[in-house]
Amino acid sequence: MQHLVDSFGRQIEYVRLAVTDRCNLRCQYCMPAHGIDIVPRKELLTFKEMYRLIRVLTELGVKKVRLTGGEPFVRKDFVKFLEMLSYNDLLDAINITTNGALIRHHIDTIEALEKVNNINLSIDSLDRKKFAEITRRDVFPDVYKTLELLEESRLNLKLNVVVQSGFNTNEIVDFARLTKEKNIAVRFIEEMPFNGIGQREMKENWTFRRILNEIKTEFEVQEIQSEKSSTSRNYKIEGHLGTVGIIPAFTRTICNDCNRIRITSTGTFKNCLFDDGVFNLRDFLRAGASNEDLKELFLSLVKEKPKDGFVAEANRKKGDVTESMSTIGG
Ligand code: SAM
Ligand code: SF4
């Protein structure tokens, strides 16, 4: 089997696929209050096209896929797509990132899919009012219910908490405290400027180091060994069932071991979150590309993977990073 290896010898085993650019929430760090300009439906990859791209990638050594968006559960028949993707025998794991507001009734079906073991749930506040301010939608009770149901399920649950100056930094310790009784991983994410030009003035800079120091004001933490390609640095708090982690999304100290590529909802191939898109796979597919053509293409595209997110950002032709994570797929 040929493998996807970049020019730094990194083997690509993980693809993040945005299944839609639509979302039911309007998180202030992700998009403006009125939302982003969504693309016409025909410009989105179809599920069949997604299945085929993933199949070809798995024939080149990709083992895991993360399905994200936009909000994946906003797309009609997303759960059927999960079932369809489960038939790919070369795929080890299907992970999902969701805001959790719409998934309550799907948890049983998802639990029955043996390749789906990990769910990342985004939740930025434990206070209903603040949650509504951040997401611009009053859905905290639904999201928290999802958290509880997922916690009871067999699925591994990770919480994604974007640390936002002036909004939820006073809840970092509360989120860490959740891990005492709950066997979950709470991961704090550095806020990035991918906000669809929503007006977010970041007053202070909450970096990895500062977040860690904030946790340490209350708890003694011990770093735990993480998978080499992990996006977070992870810690155990004495006596707690779960773990806490920090994702240095903006300070980018994790790029060395990156094993990921991305495909946006419109089929743009990305080697790095910070690049501005490398190739339009959708048009290539719709022009009649064969699986062999696709393989050749992927093998050559990953050779362009930049060393790290800083190089990717410097190489951008389309200017500063301002596009919404909802269009890229977070
Ligand atoms: N809608 C789903 C959700 O919110 O989980 C999936 C898509 S969302 C774009 C994926 C992740 O990106 C979420 O955890 C979200 O908090 C994070 N995210 C979005 N914009 C971000 C930003 N500007 N900085 C840091 N993280 C961001
Ligand atoms: Fe939607 Fe997720 Fe962006 Fe929030 S972070 S607006 S839930 S895509």
Side-chain angles (χ1 to χ4, degrees):
M1 190 203 263
Q2 282 178 295
H3 279 95
L4 293 170
V5 181
D6 78 359
S7 56
F8 301 94
R10 295 174 294 197
Q11 190 160 322
I12 308 302
E13 296 186 326
Y14 200 174
V15 57
R16 289 194 185 203
L17 172 66
V19 300
T20 181
D21 61 347
R22 274 85 164 150
C23 190
N24 50 328
L25 307 189
R26 294 286 179 271
C27 303
Q28 56 170 356
Y29 49 78
C30 183
M31 56 175 76
H34 54 81
I36 52 163
D37 294 334
I38 54 171
V39 301
R41 204 168 294 273
K42 63 177 186 319
E43 289 184 24
L44 296 175
L45 289 175
T46 64
F47 283 137
K48 265 194 187 159
E49 287 169 334
M50 291 181 208
Y51 183 90
R52 189 164 158 222
L53 289 173
I54 301 294
R55 178 68 201 181
V56 171
L57 284 167
T58 55
E59 286 171 9
L60 293 169
V62 164
K63 297 193 176 78
K64 290 199 279 185
V65 60
R66 171 167 300 284
L67 301 173
T68 176
E71 172 51 37
F73 288 88
V74 159
R75 184 142 182 190
K76 189 167 167 275
D77 293 335
F78 173 65
V79 177
K80 282 198 191 135
F81 177 58
L82 285 175
E83 288 167 345
M84 180 174 161
L85 211 49
S86 300
Y87 285 113
N88 184 340
D89 56 345
L90 297 175
L91 202 53
D92 289 346
I94 303 171
N95 301 336
I96 304 169
T97 303
T98 173
N99 63 39
L102 303 169
I103 89 167
R104 198 196 290 187
H105 304 295
H106 298 298
I107 293 175
D108 288 349
T109 319
I110 297 170
E111 249 191 308
L113 299 171
E114 66 179 47
K115 290 185 187 188
V116 182
N117 291 311
N118 301 298
I119 306 267
N120 289 5
L121 176 70
S122 302
I123 177 166
D124 301 319
S125 175
L126 297 168
D127 175 81
R128 180 172 181 169
K129 209 163 144 259
K130 208 187 292 173
F131 183 94
E133 247 180 275
I134 293 172
T135 62
R136 303 189 180 105
R137 297 290 184 270
D138 184 19
V139 292
F140 179 77
D142 296 308
V143 174
Y144 201 78
K145 185 73 204 163
T146 297
L147 190 162
E148 290 177 327
L149 291 172
L150 287 172
E151 197 197 341
E152 286 162 18
S153 75
R154 68 157 186 88
L155 302 161
N156 302 320
L157 176 60
K158 292 181 182 169
L159 302 189
N160 282 357
V161 183
V162 177
V163 176
Q164 299 152 69
S165 67
F167 281 88
N168 62 357
T169 53
N170 60 342
E171 289 190 68
I172 291 175
V173 164
D174 297 337
F175 271 109
R177 195 171 288 118
L178 276 188
T179 63
K180 184 162 175 48
E181 309 286 342
K182 297 185 192 297
N183 188 12
I184 58 177
V186 172
R187 289 119 38 89
F188 299 99
I189 307 178
E190 290 176 347
E191 182 174 354
M192 299 178 285
F194 290 101
N195 60 19
I197 329 212
Q199 204 29 268
R200 270 285 297 147
E201 200 192 317
M202 286 156 69
K203 290 188 213 84
E204 302 153 294
N205 205 357
W206 278 80
T207 58
F208 167 86
R209 181 66 36 208
R210 191 160 174 201
I211 298 167
L212 184 60
N213 285 340
E214 178 67 17
I215 299 170
K216 285 181 176 169
T217 59
E218 187 73 19
F219 303 108
E220 231 175 83
V221 298
Q222 206 160 34
E223 184 151 10
I224 45 183
Q225 198 63 41
S226 306
E227 240 181 76
K228 192 164 169 248
S229 57
S230 170
T231 52
S232 56
R233 279 176 67 183
N234 302 302
Y235 303 84
K236 189 95 194 146
I237 299 173
E238 173 85 17
H240 284 213
L241 281 179
T243 59
V244 291
I246 306 174
I247 301 181
F250 195 57
T251 52
R252 286 164 258 183
T253 46
I254 42 164
C255 299
N256 266 353
D257 298 315
C258 180
N259 67 349
R260 289 174 293 280
I261 52 173
R262 291 168 187 265
I263 300 175
T264 72
S265 57
T266 53
T268 300
F269 178 95
K270 284 171 73 76
N271 270 315
C272 172
L273 174 60
F274 287 86
D275 72 29
D276 50 8
V278 180
F279 194 88
N280 187 323
L281 298 169
R282 180 199 61 210
D283 292 352
F284 192 61
L285 274 180
R286 292 183 188 174
S290 68
N291 286 2
E292 278 316 304
D293 296 334
L294 277 170
K295 274 188 194 165
E296 232 174 85
L297 177 74
F298 284 132
L299 287 164
S300 77
L301 286 176
V302 299
K303 293 284 182 238
E304 294 169 37
K305 187 170 168 69
K307 182 167 166 284
D308 58 36
F310 294 103
V311 175
E313 191 174 0
N315 288 345
R316 286 170 68 97
K317 296 180 192 73
K318 295 184 194 151
D320 293 346
V321 289
T322 55
E323 59 271 39
S324 165
M325 284 290 275
S326 182
T327 55
I328 304 171

